[in-house]
Amino acid sequence: MAKRRASKLSRLGVVCALGLLILIADTQIPLGVASGLPFVVLVLIGFRSRESKAVWTGAIVGTILTFFGLFLSPPSGDWWFALINRCLTVLIIWMTTYFCLMELQWAEKFLKAGELEKAYNRLQEESSYLQLNRDIAFQTNMSKTLEEAIEYSLERICREIDWVLGHFFRFEDKEKKLFPTGIWFCQNPHRYEDFIKVTEVTKLEAGEGLPGRVLGDSRPHWIKDVGQDTNFARNRMVEELGVKTGLAFPVYIGSKVVGVMEFFSNKELEPNARLLEVMESIGFLLGRVMERQKVDKDKGEYNNHLRRLYHRLDSIREEESKRIAREVHDELGQVLTAIKLDLSRIQAKVPPERKDISEDVDLITDLIQKTIQTVKRISLDLRPPVLDRMSLTEAIEWQGKLFQSRTGIEFDLSTQPDIISLDTQRSSTIYRIFQECLTNVIRHSEASKVNVDLTDREGLLTMRVFDNGKGLVPEQINENFSLGLLGMKERAQIWGGQVYLNGRKNEGTTITIELKH
């Protein structure tokens, strides 16, 4: 502010000083000869400063001094003729002022138009960069795989900045090197075939080549002409690169570089600092995608590990249930049967007059008989023999009829084909899921009928269990049922199967199990 004020004062001083010099010269020339025309210079000096106020100042000072000269110059000839000359000079001064002001106004408009155009172009550029970030953020978040996200980003960036090649290097932490991934975007693969081949066998350390420089200092880099760059190894491996300008930027997870994206143009371009800033922000964005993909991969591996563990525990449980059922049925059942026979022999030896003893023996015999039935029931629940002796269809039907006799809930089974047989492990899985379905019917549905539809088509076994109860919708499922459903899903997923729950209020619930075999 102070500098501008000092500049204005200095220009005003120059105008006044020059005006005085011209006035002094004017007063030394007779009126008939002097006309005051040199005072036009004051307007031109104001115009030279490119400020309208300076032009106005020069015009006013020139006009005043022109008339001062009329009275101060030595008289000579006709005074009226000298007055007319001075008036013409003032007219010329103000015409010059007018044209100078018009020129300044036009120049100001032109300058503003140029600045507006630059501002508009900059706004367009920033808008396109913002849209680029949005597109990449959305598409990479929707991508199912990391490769799909990288491919889209390479293509989107190349099309945005109109460059011909894009490639992604992956950083291997063990070897501390960048490895080519084979993930490319190329507008003309045939033209850049040699460059692509060389790149795909090039491994780079920190500081080596364009990507290596990025790895070395974790910052974006720009090479104006890769063919003339002494630290671009690939230009020594191919006679004609076909590319000129290159840029590369890091992909971060936190502060760690996990990859480098490089792009090439077939034109020689000056470095663009704003573009490098945008590319660096995209590097952070892609890093978050890679981090999420890594977490998802680790989560998937952990879930697979848990599923294998669940499968192992389930197999152990089935084997243990089978062993316990056999021991309960064979050993405990045999002991109880032997006790029952011994009581029969004792009963035969009791004298007729000892009715009290006979009644006690009969009571004990009844208790043993009930215990034998309980042992059989426990043995069946632990490991139904139908799983080892019958088909899956017969096992489901047997369990359904048993369920009907115990609960009074009507059971109906339809199968296609009539007999469906699977291997023992898959049969056990379907059977246990079916048992859980029946348990949920008893606990939650308040149904009077259960229908089971069992089909086997083209290696896909489908079992639908439908009840006519009150209907369970997902948001109404309580914690106990959720755990039961989770157990069914885990059993099915061991074999690549799925479990679906559909229900409507007061219209019943359908549980569908699909299992490939």
Side-chain angles (χ1 to χ4, degrees), residues 178 202-213 231-233 236:
L178 289 169
T202 301
K203 301 174 184 177
L204 300 170
E205 296 180 350
E208 185 180 359
L210 175 59
R213 283 180 237 183
N231 190 20
F232 194 80
R236 297 190 296 272

Side-chain angles (χ1 to χ4, degrees), residues 235-451:
N235 64 15
R236 297 190 296 272
M237 302 170 69
V238 182
E239 291 185 6
E240 181 61 36
L241 290 174
V243 295
K244 282 287 185 181
T245 299
L247 77 85
F249 63 88
V251 176
Y252 304 94
I253 293 182
S255 59
K256 181 181 178 182
V257 176
V258 295
V260 174
M261 274 192 166
E262 62 173 4
F263 298 88
F264 297 95
S265 173
N266 55 7
K267 303 172 186 176
E268 188 172 316
L269 302 172
E270 294 294 332
N272 186 331
R274 179 61 185 136
L275 180 59
L276 289 176
E277 289 178 5
V278 173
M279 294 300 105
E280 187 171 23
S281 68
I282 292 176
F284 281 106
L285 180 65
L286 291 173
R288 286 195 290 270
V289 174
M290 292 183 68
E291 186 176 22
R292 190 185 71 246
Q293 294 275 358
K294 184 177 183 300
V295 170
D296 290 344
K297 181 180 178 182
D298 293 342
K299 181 181 177 182
E301 291 177 354
Y302 181 71
N303 286 339
N304 289 334
H305 175 73
L306 289 179
R307 193 163 289 117
R308 289 193 296 270
L309 179 61
Y310 180 87
H311 179 42
R312 176 61 179 161
L313 292 175
D314 191 57
S315 299
I316 293 173
R317 182 174 59 186
E318 284 291 336
E319 290 297 323
E320 189 66 13
S321 295
K322 187 177 181 179
R323 183 187 65 80
I324 294 173
R326 184 171 55 250
E327 289 183 0
V328 167
H329 181 271
D330 294 346
E331 297 182 16
L332 185 57
Q334 289 176 4
V335 170
L336 290 172
T337 301
I339 293 174
K340 182 181 177 181
L341 292 174
D342 289 340
L343 284 172
S344 297
R345 287 195 293 271
I346 292 173
Q347 179 73 297
K349 296 178 181 179
V350 173
E353 62 275 9
R354 298 300 304 270
K355 292 183 179 181
D356 55 334
I357 296 176
S358 295
E359 290 176 357
D360 290 340
V361 171
D362 289 339
L363 180 60
I364 294 172
T365 301
D366 290 340
L367 288 174
I368 291 174
Q369 183 61 38
K370 290 179 180 179
T371 304
I372 291 173
Q373 296 301 319
T374 301
V375 167
K376 288 182 178 180
R377 180 176 57 80
I378 292 174
S379 178
L380 287 175
D381 289 341
L382 285 171
R383 179 67 180 182
V386 293
L387 289 176
D388 301 315
R389 303 173 186 173
M390 301 180 184
S391 66
L392 176 62
T393 306
E394 293 169 322
I396 295 293
E397 185 174 14
W398 177 84
Q399 181 64 47
K401 296 298 184 184
L402 183 63
F403 168 80
Q404 178 175 300
S405 65
R406 289 179 177 178
T407 63
I409 299 174
E410 185 180 349
F411 171 80
D412 183 65
L413 172 67
S414 61
T415 63
Q416 183 63 37
D418 293 336
I419 300 297
I420 299 174
S421 296
L422 301 177
D423 59 85
T424 303
Q425 291 181 320
R426 286 180 173 82
S427 294
S428 296
T429 296
I430 293 293
Y431 183 82
R432 293 303 184 188
I433 293 175
F434 176 62
Q435 281 186 317
E436 185 64 35
C437 290
L438 296 180
T439 300
N440 289 325
V441 169
I442 297 172
R443 290 178 179 176
H444 308 292
S445 71
E446 300 177 7
S448 61
K449 185 176 182 179
V450 175
N451 293 87

Side-chain angles (χ1 to χ4, degrees), residues 31 40 126 173 225 237 354 379 394 444 460 489 516:
L31 279 178
V40 176
E126 290 298 324
D173 200 34
D225 186 351
M237 302 170 69
R354 298 300 304 270
S379 178
E394 293 169 322
H444 308 292
L460 179 65
K489 287 184 175 181
K516 295 180 180 180

